[in-house]
Amino acid sequence: MNQPKNLTFETRFGNIAALQWGAGNSNKVLALHGWLDNAASFWHLAPLLAQHDIEITAIDFPGHGHSDHRAAGHTYGFIDYVTDVQAVIKQSDQPVSLLCHSMGAAIAVMYAAAFPEQINKMVLIENLGPIPPYQPGKAVSSLRKALKLWDKHSLVHKRFYATIEQAIEARQVATPMDADIIRPMVERGLCETPQGYHWRTDKRLKLDSLIRLSEENIQEYLAANQVPTQLIIGEPKTYALDFPMFSHRLDALNPEQFKQISGDHHLHMTQAEPVASLIINFYQE
């Protein structure tokens, strides 16, 4: 049950890799990971759900994990991930539920608002829409900064790790958690070369967005949601949700369930069992 099946979705935009737990189970769930993570971020949570007749298919977003990178000369516009989700869901012969963390949750809200008939239920972990939104009065300066970064970016890898353990230690600086918990995600995110290991993630993912959604746009997507939704966040509130408009976004979404549990931004990894319990109860209602 712990060892997932490897899948590949062929799309017009390139191949999207995936991991699947509980293949053949009745309740179909598409899992969407966060920025700079990959499908293996669900490594500890998914097997717990699979024990309850849930089939979890976790994709690697383009530029992450084992999925193809965007074509040369292209950026990673946030809205483009919504079309990636569409390409995967179109290959399902029935509506699916969504299980989403961080960036994946922001993307899911937008897709579910557009096509609620394709989504049974939606679980959002540690996200209530894109962050940061467009800041009034900063459109030109933000674009200028993003264009400067784009103009000088390079795809050449300059940092290598002699061992997987070194890479794990490096990722732990940004995402503190036990090595055993983070290892599957790190291993899936590495590429081995004669020079050592480097990250598979596309370096363009770290460039600033050329354009951002306004707060009004984001809250319109949240308010349009018709899909039964569960929101799970860490307690105390983490950096990812510690922003002034949080309460307004929560009111706009008005989820059927709003749960807070002790944990950090990656609580679906570090607190897999209590998170799984909440999700199972919600899916089975």
Side-chain angles (χ1 to χ4, degrees), residues 4-18:
K5 176 181 178 182
N6 286 288
L7 299 178
T8 301
F9 294 93
E10 295 181 1
T11 79
R12 290 183 296 173
F13 321 111
N15 290 338
I16 294 179

Side-chain angles (χ1 to χ4, degrees), residues 220-232:
E220 185 173 330
Y221 289 121
L222 291 167
N225 180 47
Q226 302 174 40
V227 176
T229 300
Q230 179 187 61
L231 173 65
I232 305 173

